[in-house]
Amino acid sequence: MQARAKNLVLGIESSCDEMAAAVVEARSRQILSSVVASQIETHRPFGGVVPEVASRQHLRDVGRVCAAALQESGVALADLAGVAATCGPGLAGSLLVGLGYAKGLAYFAGLPFLGVNHLEGHLLAAFLEHEDLDFPFVGLVVSGGHSSLYLAEARGRQRLLASTRDDAAGEAFDKVAKMLGLSYPGGPAVQEAAEACAGAGVSFPLAGMKDHSLDFSYSGLKTSVLWHIKACRAAGVEPDVAAVAKGFQAAATDVLIRNTLKACDQEGCHRVVLGGGVAANARLRQALGQRCQEKGITLFCPSIPLCMDNAAMIAYAGGLRLLDGETSGFDLSVSPSLGF
Ligand code: KG4
Ligand code: ZN
């Protein structure tokens, strides 16, 4: 393969209900285009993502989204160094659309192809906006499917420090939103309701592991919210949605903050990187920022579009792997429960 001055990569992300494509120059961490076709309105009436509906919509969107990303970037197919797509974890039918399209495009254009782990994308997204970010760092990836803490020592070398024993943070936000009658997706709806509460909010216990591990657990907190709602109704009153949302949001984010800071102490690390949809939460960003500042830790938060599912992070992760001389075979298939 001929060495190229620029490492321009087309990335495709379709692990859930977003079809996204982006062109990124990995060496300079530059995003040339980033297009996202969201299906939120399609799935809202169902209160969650319907996998079959998502993959059928992806089939309709993939061609135009990739064409738009290429056109906006001004980069010709022939000038790309490779095509990268999410190969897991995620919904099988959704992943198949993006991965299949990426393989076809790469094969047709004679380009290297890379399957990228969605979680590696979230972990590395902050690099695209922070020139001063470098390894090592403690990474907190919090999304609809994962709540994990990593010690990232180098690209491709990360140690899992903690994960969730039950629900992911975003899943807990989504489930509590449903209990409160708030709309899908639950995270932004809970945040908005919490912001409307002028008082202290309902006090819920912080979930802690008895064995002092850094793992997360949301089942206890979720049950506390449910009991509170039931107790209100048994007493003949409707729960104060804003106060419950504020209390839940505080407890759910405090446990993320506490364990992240513990991980920094444990590993002697002074950098924290956030990633994943829940990293868009304003209370988490503000409170973690404040605690990091107090402790002399530098916090790197991606902007909101780069916290949510996007293809720039996939293109970037793929670009870094290409620079390390890695590629994937065209026989690579999707891995819905791919670990990281
Ligand atoms: O990373 P992401 O876009 O998709 C997955 O890989 O899962 O994350 C989606 C999750 C959803 O559970 C959503 O409710 C949550 O991120 N989320 C939030 C906020 N925005 C999105 N959770 C809390 N506060 C928010 N502002
Ligand atoms: Zn995600």
Side-chain angles (χ1 to χ4, degrees), residues 155-178:
R155 209 290 305 155
R157 215 174 68 226
Q158 61 286 326
R159 186 152 50 85
L160 182 66
L161 302 174
S163 52
T164 181
R165 302 240 175 135
D166 37 63
D167 284 356
E171 204 176 347
F173 268 91
D174 293 337
K175 287 178 178 169
V176 166
K178 256 191 190 163

Side-chain angles (χ1 to χ4, degrees), residues 13 15-16 18 118-119 122 141-146 276-277 307-310 313:
E13 153 62 37
S15 63
C16 191
E18 259 105 25
H118 183 77
L119 298 170
H122 277 310
V141 176
V142 269
S143 68
H146 294 83
C307 290
M308 313 304 286
D309 285 349
N310 68 87
M313 66 183 192

Side-chain angles (χ1 to χ4, degrees), residues 224-239:
S224 300
V225 173
L226 189 64
W227 280 348
H228 175 84
I229 295 171
K230 282 188 172 169
C232 288
R233 293 200 175 129
V237 286
E238 270 309 296

Side-chain angles (χ1 to χ4, degrees), residues 35 119 121 129 144 157 165 217 241 290:
V35 179
L119 298 170
E129 292 172 325
R157 215 174 68 226
R165 302 240 175 135
S217 166
V241 171
Q290 192 180 327

Side-chain angles (χ1 to χ4, degrees), residues 201-225:
V202 179
S203 173
F204 292 115
L206 218 67
M209 301 311 303
K210 289 196 179 68
D211 57 10
H212 301 292
S213 91
L214 294 174
D215 281 349
F216 304 106
S217 166
Y218 282 102
S219 62
L221 175 58
K222 243 175 26 192
T223 308
S224 300
V225 173

Side-chain angles (χ1 to χ4, degrees), residues 52 180 268 275 277 304 327:
E52 174 80 12
L180 293 173
I304 309 291
T327 58

Side-chain angles (χ1 to χ4, degrees), residues 9-15 19-22 62 66 82-89 94-106 112-118 310-311 313-319 321 328 332-335 338:
V9 175
L10 172 69
I12 303 177
E13 153 62 37
S14 70
S15 63
M19 171 55 71
V62 64
C66 290
V83 182
T86 308
C87 60
S94 290
L95 289 164
L96 276 166
V97 178
L99 194 78
Y101 195 89
K103 285 199 276 189
L105 197 63
F113 152 75
L114 287 125
V116 171
N117 189 311
H118 183 77
N310 68 87
M313 66 183 192
I314 302 301
Y316 180 62
R321 285 184 43 200
S328 301
L332 181 79
S333 192
V334 300
S335 302
L338 187 63

